[in-house]
mmCIF file of all heavy atoms in Angstrom:
data_model
loop_
_atom_site.group_PDB
_atom_site.id
_atom_site.type_symbol
_atom_site.label_atom_id
_atom_site.label_comp_id
_atom_site.label_asym_id
_atom_site.label_seq_id
_atom_site.Cartn_x
_atom_site.Cartn_y
_atom_site.Cartn_z
ATOM 1 N N PHE Z 82 -1.691 2.371 3.863
ATOM 2 C CA PHE Z 82 -1.697 2.542 2.408
ATOM 3 C C PHE Z 82 -0.488 1.739 1.870
ATOM 4 O O PHE Z 82 0.603 2.333 1.637
ATOM 5 C CB PHE Z 82 -1.557 4.009 2.037
ATOM 6 C CG PHE Z 82 -2.860 4.747 2.276
ATOM 7 C CD1 PHE Z 82 -2.993 5.539 3.398
ATOM 8 C CD2 PHE Z 82 -3.895 4.680 1.374
ATOM 9 C CE1 PHE Z 82 -4.163 6.252 3.624
ATOM 10 C CE2 PHE Z 82 -5.077 5.361 1.555
ATOM 11 C CZ PHE Z 82 -5.230 6.134 2.675
ATOM 12 N N CYS Z 84 -0.192 0.778 -0.963
ATOM 13 C CA CYS Z 84 0.023 1.313 -2.332
ATOM 14 C C CYS Z 84 1.036 2.408 -2.380
ATOM 15 O O CYS Z 84 1.495 2.785 -3.453
ATOM 16 C CB CYS Z 84 -1.295 1.753 -2.936
ATOM 17 S SG CYS Z 84 -2.226 2.934 -1.924
ATOM 18 N N PHE Z 85 1.454 2.985 -1.222
ATOM 19 C CA PHE Z 85 2.468 4.079 -1.214
ATOM 20 C C PHE Z 85 3.826 3.487 -1.511
ATOM 21 O O PHE Z 85 4.710 4.217 -2.006
ATOM 22 C CB PHE Z 85 2.473 4.789 0.126
ATOM 23 C CG PHE Z 85 1.339 5.737 0.370
ATOM 24 C CD1 PHE Z 85 1.235 6.346 1.581
ATOM 25 C CD2 PHE Z 85 0.367 5.971 -0.611
ATOM 26 C CE1 PHE Z 85 0.139 7.222 1.835
ATOM 27 C CE2 PHE Z 85 -0.653 6.834 -0.385
ATOM 28 C CZ PHE Z 85 -0.788 7.432 0.865
ATOM 29 N N TYR Z 86 4.085 2.243 -1.154
ATOM 30 C CA TYR Z 86 5.400 1.631 -1.381
ATOM 31 C C TYR Z 86 5.521 1.410 -2.897
ATOM 32 O O TYR Z 86 4.679 0.771 -3.506
ATOM 33 C CB TYR Z 86 5.496 0.283 -0.615
ATOM 34 C CG TYR Z 86 5.356 0.494 0.885
ATOM 35 C CD1 TYR Z 86 4.149 0.275 1.504
ATOM 36 C CD2 TYR Z 86 6.410 0.965 1.635
ATOM 37 C CE1 TYR Z 86 3.998 0.466 2.828
ATOM 38 C CE2 TYR Z 86 6.260 1.165 2.991
ATOM 39 C CZ TYR Z 86 5.036 0.898 3.581
ATOM 40 O OH TYR Z 86 4.872 1.083 4.956
ATOM 41 N N GLY Z 87 6.545 1.952 -3.457
ATOM 42 C CA GLY Z 87 6.762 1.820 -4.897
ATOM 43 C C GLY Z 87 6.022 2.884 -5.698
ATOM 44 O O GLY Z 87 5.985 2.808 -6.912
ATOM 45 N N HIS Z 88 5.375 3.787 -5.010
ATOM 46 C CA HIS Z 88 4.597 4.887 -5.708
ATOM 47 C C HIS Z 88 4.823 6.140 -4.971
ATOM 48 O O HIS Z 88 3.858 6.702 -4.328
ATOM 49 C CB HIS Z 88 3.160 4.442 -5.734
ATOM 50 C CG HIS Z 88 2.307 5.203 -6.729
ATOM 51 N ND1 HIS Z 88 2.483 6.492 -7.034
ATOM 52 C CD2 HIS Z 88 1.261 4.767 -7.473
ATOM 53 C CE1 HIS Z 88 1.614 6.906 -7.941
ATOM 54 N NE2 HIS Z 88 0.868 5.840 -8.233
ATOM 55 N N PRO Z 89 6.010 6.704 -4.955
ATOM 56 C CA PRO Z 89 6.299 7.888 -4.154
ATOM 57 C C PRO Z 89 5.488 9.118 -4.559
ATOM 58 O O PRO Z 89 5.190 9.986 -3.714
ATOM 59 C CB PRO Z 89 7.783 8.156 -4.400
ATOM 60 C CG PRO Z 89 8.130 7.404 -5.636
ATOM 61 C CD PRO Z 89 7.185 6.240 -5.717
ATOM 62 N N THR Z 90 5.071 9.243 -5.802
ATOM 63 C CA THR Z 90 4.279 10.401 -6.184
ATOM 64 C C THR Z 90 2.894 10.329 -5.522
ATOM 65 O O THR Z 90 2.336 11.399 -5.206
ATOM 66 C CB THR Z 90 4.132 10.503 -7.716
ATOM 67 O OG1 THR Z 90 3.525 9.332 -8.231
ATOM 68 C CG2 THR Z 90 5.493 10.771 -8.357
ATOM 69 N N LEU Z 91 2.334 9.170 -5.333
ATOM 70 C CA LEU Z 91 1.041 9.063 -4.682
ATOM 71 C C LEU Z 91 1.157 9.494 -3.208
ATOM 72 O O LEU Z 91 0.304 10.213 -2.694
ATOM 73 C CB LEU Z 91 0.541 7.623 -4.737
ATOM 74 C CG LEU Z 91 -0.846 7.374 -4.087
ATOM 75 C CD1 LEU Z 91 -1.915 8.184 -4.778
ATOM 76 C CD2 LEU Z 91 -1.158 5.874 -4.110
ATOM 77 N N SER Z 92 2.194 9.042 -2.524
ATOM 78 C CA SER Z 92 2.432 9.441 -1.150
ATOM 79 C C SER Z 92 2.577 10.953 -1.017
ATOM 80 O O SER Z 92 2.041 11.579 -0.106
ATOM 81 C CB SER Z 92 3.653 8.715 -0.626
ATOM 82 O OG SER Z 92 3.883 9.092 0.726
ATOM 83 N N THR Z 93 3.383 11.540 -1.937
ATOM 84 C CA THR Z 93 3.554 13.010 -1.934
ATOM 85 C C THR Z 93 2.240 13.739 -2.167
ATOM 86 O O THR Z 93 1.906 14.706 -1.467
ATOM 87 C CB THR Z 93 4.593 13.407 -3.016
ATOM 88 O OG1 THR Z 93 5.797 12.719 -2.730
ATOM 89 C CG2 THR Z 93 4.862 14.875 -3.016
ATOM 90 N N TRP Z 94 1.482 13.284 -3.151
ATOM 91 C CA TRP Z 94 0.174 13.856 -3.427
ATOM 92 C C TRP Z 94 -0.733 13.771 -2.198
ATOM 93 O O TRP Z 94 -1.389 14.725 -1.807
ATOM 94 C CB TRP Z 94 -0.495 13.137 -4.603
ATOM 95 C CG TRP Z 94 -1.874 13.620 -4.868
ATOM 96 C CD1 TRP Z 94 -2.234 14.675 -5.697
ATOM 97 C CD2 TRP Z 94 -3.094 13.083 -4.368
ATOM 98 N NE1 TRP Z 94 -3.617 14.816 -5.668
ATOM 99 C CE2 TRP Z 94 -4.162 13.858 -4.874
ATOM 100 C CE3 TRP Z 94 -3.404 12.038 -3.482
ATOM 101 C CZ2 TRP Z 94 -5.477 13.618 -4.546
ATOM 102 C CZ3 TRP Z 94 -4.725 11.795 -3.172
ATOM 103 C CH2 TRP Z 94 -5.745 12.602 -3.716
ATOM 104 N N PHE Z 95 -0.778 12.586 -1.541
ATOM 105 C CA PHE Z 95 -1.577 12.389 -0.383
ATOM 106 C C PHE Z 95 -1.252 13.377 0.754
ATOM 107 O O PHE Z 95 -2.112 13.996 1.303
ATOM 108 C CB PHE Z 95 -1.452 10.948 0.141
ATOM 109 C CG PHE Z 95 -2.177 10.665 1.439
ATOM 110 C CD1 PHE Z 95 -3.514 10.325 1.378
ATOM 111 C CD2 PHE Z 95 -1.513 10.787 2.608
ATOM 112 C CE1 PHE Z 95 -4.189 10.095 2.561
ATOM 113 C CE2 PHE Z 95 -2.198 10.553 3.828
ATOM 114 C CZ PHE Z 95 -3.546 10.223 3.786
ATOM 115 N N THR Z 96 0.065 13.488 1.015
ATOM 116 C CA THR Z 96 0.505 14.406 2.056
ATOM 117 C C THR Z 96 0.084 15.859 1.756
ATOM 118 O O THR Z 96 -0.374 16.554 2.671
ATOM 119 C CB THR Z 96 2.049 14.331 2.208
ATOM 120 O OG1 THR Z 96 2.386 12.960 2.496
ATOM 121 C CG2 THR Z 96 2.555 15.206 3.290
ATOM 122 N N SER Z 97 0.220 16.272 0.524
ATOM 123 C CA SER Z 97 -0.146 17.615 0.151
ATOM 124 C C SER Z 97 -1.682 17.800 0.262
ATOM 125 O O SER Z 97 -2.108 18.833 0.828
ATOM 126 C CB SER Z 97 0.271 17.848 -1.336
ATOM 127 O OG SER Z 97 -0.234 19.045 -1.795
ATOM 128 N N GLU Z 98 -2.465 16.895 -0.206
ATOM 129 C CA GLU Z 98 -3.911 17.004 -0.087
ATOM 130 C C GLU Z 98 -4.366 16.949 1.373
ATOM 131 O O GLU Z 98 -5.299 17.674 1.730
ATOM 132 C CB GLU Z 98 -4.585 15.859 -0.859
ATOM 133 C CG GLU Z 98 -4.414 15.994 -2.387
ATOM 134 C CD GLU Z 98 -5.030 17.281 -2.932
ATOM 135 O OE1 GLU Z 98 -6.231 17.548 -2.686
ATOM 136 O OE2 GLU Z 98 -4.307 18.060 -3.627
ATOM 137 N N TYR Z 99 -3.718 16.135 2.160
ATOM 138 C CA TYR Z 99 -4.072 16.036 3.560
ATOM 139 C C TYR Z 99 -3.830 17.393 4.282
ATOM 140 O O TYR Z 99 -4.692 17.835 5.105
ATOM 141 C CB TYR Z 99 -3.276 14.933 4.245
ATOM 142 C CG TYR Z 99 -3.975 14.303 5.452
ATOM 143 C CD1 TYR Z 99 -4.668 13.086 5.272
ATOM 144 C CD2 TYR Z 99 -3.969 14.902 6.675
ATOM 145 C CE1 TYR Z 99 -5.326 12.523 6.348
ATOM 146 C CE2 TYR Z 99 -4.636 14.319 7.730
ATOM 147 C CZ TYR Z 99 -5.301 13.100 7.579
ATOM 148 O OH TYR Z 99 -5.985 12.587 8.641
ATOM 149 N N LEU Z 106 -1.808 15.520 10.225
ATOM 150 C CA LEU Z 106 -1.432 14.226 9.710
ATOM 151 C C LEU Z 106 -0.420 13.537 10.621
ATOM 152 O O LEU Z 106 0.668 14.074 10.885
ATOM 153 C CB LEU Z 106 -0.816 14.415 8.301
ATOM 154 C CG LEU Z 106 -0.338 13.148 7.591
ATOM 155 C CD1 LEU Z 106 -1.469 12.128 7.401
ATOM 156 C CD2 LEU Z 106 0.267 13.518 6.245
ATOM 157 N N MET Z 108 1.548 10.302 10.357
ATOM 158 C CA MET Z 108 1.791 9.305 9.315
ATOM 159 C C MET Z 108 3.205 8.737 9.429
ATOM 160 O O MET Z 108 4.175 9.426 9.721
ATOM 161 C CB MET Z 108 1.631 9.973 7.976
ATOM 162 C CG MET Z 108 1.841 9.084 6.804
ATOM 163 S SD MET Z 108 1.410 9.978 5.300
ATOM 164 C CE MET Z 108 2.066 8.874 4.074
ATOM 165 N N GLY Z 109 3.279 7.438 9.237
ATOM 166 C CA GLY Z 109 4.563 6.742 9.045
ATOM 167 C C GLY Z 109 4.818 6.674 7.555
ATOM 168 O O GLY Z 109 4.304 7.497 6.797
ATOM 169 N N LYS Z 110 5.575 5.709 7.098
ATOM 170 C CA LYS Z 110 5.854 5.604 5.665
ATOM 171 C C LYS Z 110 4.587 5.345 4.858
ATOM 172 O O LYS Z 110 4.434 5.872 3.798
ATOM 173 C CB LYS Z 110 6.884 4.540 5.432
ATOM 174 C CG LYS Z 110 7.393 4.508 3.999
ATOM 175 C CD LYS Z 110 8.620 3.683 3.836
ATOM 176 C CE LYS Z 110 9.019 3.728 2.374
ATOM 177 N NZ LYS Z 110 10.361 4.046 2.143
ATOM 178 N N GLY Z 111 3.758 4.486 5.347
ATOM 179 C CA GLY Z 111 2.553 4.153 4.623
ATOM 180 C C GLY Z 111 1.292 4.057 5.503
ATOM 181 O O GLY Z 111 0.236 3.705 5.016
ATOM 182 N N CYS Z 112 1.448 4.356 6.768
ATOM 183 C CA CYS Z 112 0.267 4.250 7.663
ATOM 184 C C CYS Z 112 -0.147 5.610 8.164
ATOM 185 O O CYS Z 112 0.686 6.465 8.472
ATOM 186 C CB CYS Z 112 0.565 3.314 8.799
ATOM 187 S SG CYS Z 112 1.845 3.874 9.932
ATOM 188 N N THR Z 129 -7.678 9.026 -2.540
ATOM 189 C CA THR Z 129 -6.389 8.287 -2.692
ATOM 190 C C THR Z 129 -6.644 6.911 -3.217
ATOM 191 O O THR Z 129 -6.037 6.435 -4.138
ATOM 192 C CB THR Z 129 -5.633 8.241 -1.330
ATOM 193 O OG1 THR Z 129 -5.398 9.594 -0.893
ATOM 194 C CG2 THR Z 129 -4.298 7.530 -1.510
ATOM 195 N N ARG Z 132 -7.526 6.738 -6.905
ATOM 196 C CA ARG Z 132 -6.473 7.066 -7.821
ATOM 197 C C ARG Z 132 -5.663 5.896 -8.360
ATOM 198 O O ARG Z 132 -4.937 6.054 -9.364
ATOM 199 C CB ARG Z 132 -5.473 8.046 -7.168
ATOM 200 C CG ARG Z 132 -6.013 9.449 -6.938
ATOM 201 C CD ARG Z 132 -4.990 10.292 -6.246
ATOM 202 N NE ARG Z 132 -3.897 10.663 -7.068
ATOM 203 C CZ ARG Z 132 -3.810 11.754 -7.858
ATOM 204 N NH1 ARG Z 132 -4.827 12.588 -7.865
ATOM 205 N NH2 ARG Z 132 -2.753 12.022 -8.565
ATOM 206 N N VAL Z 133 -5.777 4.725 -7.696
ATOM 207 C CA VAL Z 133 -4.876 3.604 -8.093
ATOM 208 C C VAL Z 133 -5.708 2.370 -8.541
ATOM 209 O O VAL Z 133 -6.278 1.683 -7.739
ATOM 210 C CB VAL Z 133 -3.995 3.205 -6.885
ATOM 211 C CG1 VAL Z 133 -2.958 2.132 -7.335
ATOM 212 C CG2 VAL Z 133 -3.263 4.412 -6.323
#
Side-chain angles (χ1 to χ4, degrees):
F82 286 100
C84 53
F85 286 175
Y86 300 98
H88 197 324
T90 58
L91 181 64
S92 179
T93 301
W94 176 87
F95 175 85
T96 303
S97 172
E98 292 298 305
Y99 208 98
L106 179 58
M108 183 174 167
K110 187 165 180 131
C112 66
T129 302
R132 289 177 71 91
V133 186

